[in-house]
């Protein structure tokens, strides 16, 4: 008599706070065109207190109180490495400017005296917004690396969660795949802290559609998912060479299942 091992349930480890990825609206610089005609004062300083340049030079105070350190061409800010200091924000931008707008490669970071101090975003800008490839780092230590469109995650990218120092709590630590409108797209790969992995279709960040779940011990499930659970038809492959084919409902086996053992023997079980 062949005794079939009991099934392992999929890890329902998606914590709501993990899926609610912080937005990145702070990367939309709602500032007017940086015009030479808006300069109300020219100052000279070593700039150590507010910028990364660290040398004596002139910089420009604008009508709104912000400060611009860079070149003007045809009356508009144009520079490959200028600086924009926000009067009412603990942050500044260093990078490209084109025709009076933040555009090109650059980084958006906290001021030197800010606590904590860190680079918020480094990458490509277009029309005053994150657009292209870049890296965004959150205050809690999470990180997104990939493509942006109008300051939203859009396209191929990776989202890395800050690891929690708790071995009993199994969580996703890395997602690789596609993003749509600043959220998880319809396909990707989740990597988990215990060594498990999921590759397949998604809906609202959850396993939904066709996919494969790999367990850290070598077992795997290939088939249908719904709302983060096995639901539909699928095949469970044991690491000893056995495989089980049948239907699932709410992450449990239902109906008739056919088990093909590694030695070629075929058995059936009804749930």
């Amino acid at each position: 008599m062949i005794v079939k091992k009991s099934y392992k349930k999929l890890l329902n480890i998606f914590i709501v706070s993990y899926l609610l990825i912080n937005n990145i609206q702070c990367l939309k610089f709602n500032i007017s065109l940086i015009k030479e005609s808006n300069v109300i004062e020219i100052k000279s300083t070593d700039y150590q207190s507010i910028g990364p340049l660290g040398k004596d030079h002139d910089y420009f105070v604008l009508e709104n109180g912000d400060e611009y350190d860079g070149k003007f061409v045809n009356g508009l800010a144009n520079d490959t490495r200028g600086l924009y200091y926000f009067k009412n924000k603990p942050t500044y931008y260093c990078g490209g400017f084109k025709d009076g707008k933040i555009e090109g490669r650059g980084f958006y970071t906290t001021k030197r005296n800010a606590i904590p101090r860190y680079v918020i975003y480094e990458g490509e800008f277009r029309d005053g917004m994150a657009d292209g490839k870049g890296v965004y780092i959150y205050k809690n230590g999470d990180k997104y690396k990939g493509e942006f469109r109008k300051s939203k995650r859009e396209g191929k990218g990776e989202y890395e969660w800050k690891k929690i120092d708790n071995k009993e709590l199994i969580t996703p630590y890395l997602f690789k795949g596609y993003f749509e409108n600043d959220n998880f797209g319809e396909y990707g790969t989740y990597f988990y802290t215990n060594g498990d992995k999921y590759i397949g279709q998604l809906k609202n960040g959850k396993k939904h559609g066709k996919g494969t779940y790999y367990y850290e011990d070598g077992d795997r499930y290939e088939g249908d998912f719904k709302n983060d659970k096995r639901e539909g038809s699928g095949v469970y492959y044991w690491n000893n060479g056995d495989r089980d084919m049948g239907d699932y409902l709410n992450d449990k086996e239902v109906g008739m299942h056919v088990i093909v053992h590694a030695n070629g023997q075929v058995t059936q079980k009804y749930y």
Side-chain angles (χ1 to χ4, degrees):
M1 177 179 178
I2 297 177
V3 179
K4 185 174 76 68
K5 295 189 293 182
S6 60
Y7 282 88
K8 296 191 293 290
K9 288 186 177 181
L10 289 180
L11 295 171
N12 295 317
I13 59 179
F14 290 94
I15 303 173
V16 173
S17 61
Y18 270 75
L19 287 179
L20 294 178
I21 303 178
N22 296 325
N23 62 41
I24 54 176
Q25 299 302 313
C26 61
L27 288 181
K28 292 183 178 180
F29 300 120
N30 296 317
I31 58 177
S32 302
L33 284 178
I34 307 169
K35 300 179 181 179
E36 193 169 9
S37 60
N38 291 336
V39 174
I40 61 173
E41 186 179 359
I42 301 176
K43 291 185 175 181
S44 180
T45 178
D46 64 7
Y47 225 75
Q48 288 287 346
S49 60
I50 59 174
L53 303 182
K55 60 182 180 179
D56 293 331
H57 60 282
D58 294 337
Y59 67 96
F60 307 96
V61 181
L62 306 175
E63 290 177 338
N64 62 0
D66 294 351
E67 296 168 358
Y68 169 66
D69 183 350
K71 298 176 183 178
F72 286 103
V73 177
N74 296 325
L76 297 174
N78 279 277
D79 206 328
T80 57
R81 191 175 184 269
L83 175 71
Y84 195 94
Y85 177 79
F86 300 90
K87 177 183 178 181
N88 297 320
K89 295 181 181 181
T91 53
Y92 65 82
Y93 166 79
C94 182
F97 293 82
K98 183 179 180 181
D99 297 333
K101 298 180 180 180
I102 291 175
E103 186 156 329
R105 288 200 63 84
F107 63 87
Y108 181 56
T109 184
T110 55
K111 297 176 186 175
R112 292 188 174 187
N113 59 353
I115 300 175
R117 183 176 187 271
Y118 64 100
V119 174
I120 301 172
Y121 173 82
E122 182 173 4
E124 298 174 327
F125 289 84
R126 182 187 298 272
D127 197 21
M129 293 181 284
D131 202 298
K133 294 182 179 180
V135 178
Y136 188 95
I137 301 175
Y138 300 86
K139 286 184 178 180
N140 66 353
D142 291 359
K143 180 171 67 174
Y144 171 79
K145 178 181 179 181
E147 298 176 335
F148 292 81
R149 174 65 174 164
K150 294 184 177 180
S151 284
K152 292 184 178 182
R153 292 171 294 256
E154 187 81 28
K156 191 174 182 180
E158 302 178 6
Y159 193 99
E160 183 177 354
W161 286 270
K162 180 181 179 181
K163 290 186 178 180
I164 298 177
D165 189 18
N166 185 343
K167 294 182 180 180
E168 295 182 357
L169 182 61
I170 300 172
T171 61
Y173 74 89
L174 179 64
F175 171 82
K176 293 184 178 182
Y178 292 89
F179 290 77
E180 298 174 6
N181 195 31
D182 212 32
N183 220 321
F184 295 109
E186 297 181 352
Y187 190 88
T189 302
Y190 278 108
F191 298 85
Y192 303 100
T193 53
N194 70 332
D196 288 2
K197 179 173 67 174
Y198 171 78
I199 303 176
Q201 294 177 316
L202 305 166
K203 184 177 181 180
N204 297 325
K206 295 184 177 182
K207 301 182 289 288
H208 196 96
K210 299 289 185 182
T212 302
Y213 193 98
Y214 298 86
Y215 295 90
E216 53 84 22
D217 64 0
D219 290 359
R220 75 180 189 275
Y221 167 82
E222 297 181 7
D224 297 327
F225 294 84
K226 184 178 181 181
N227 197 30
D228 240 8
K229 297 180 179 180
R230 292 173 296 194
E231 188 151 324
S233 61
V235 181
Y236 193 101
Y237 296 87
W238 298 97
N239 58 20
N240 65 357
D242 295 352
R243 66 182 187 273
D244 181 299
M245 297 171 287
D247 294 331
Y248 294 79
L249 180 64
N250 195 30
D251 208 34
K252 296 181 180 179
E253 308 92 326
V254 295
M256 181 67 70
H257 277 235
V258 177
I259 301 98
V260 180
H261 300 272
N263 63 5
Q265 183 178 357
V266 178
T267 59
Q268 294 179 341
K269 186 174 182 179
Y270 187 82
Y271 295 90

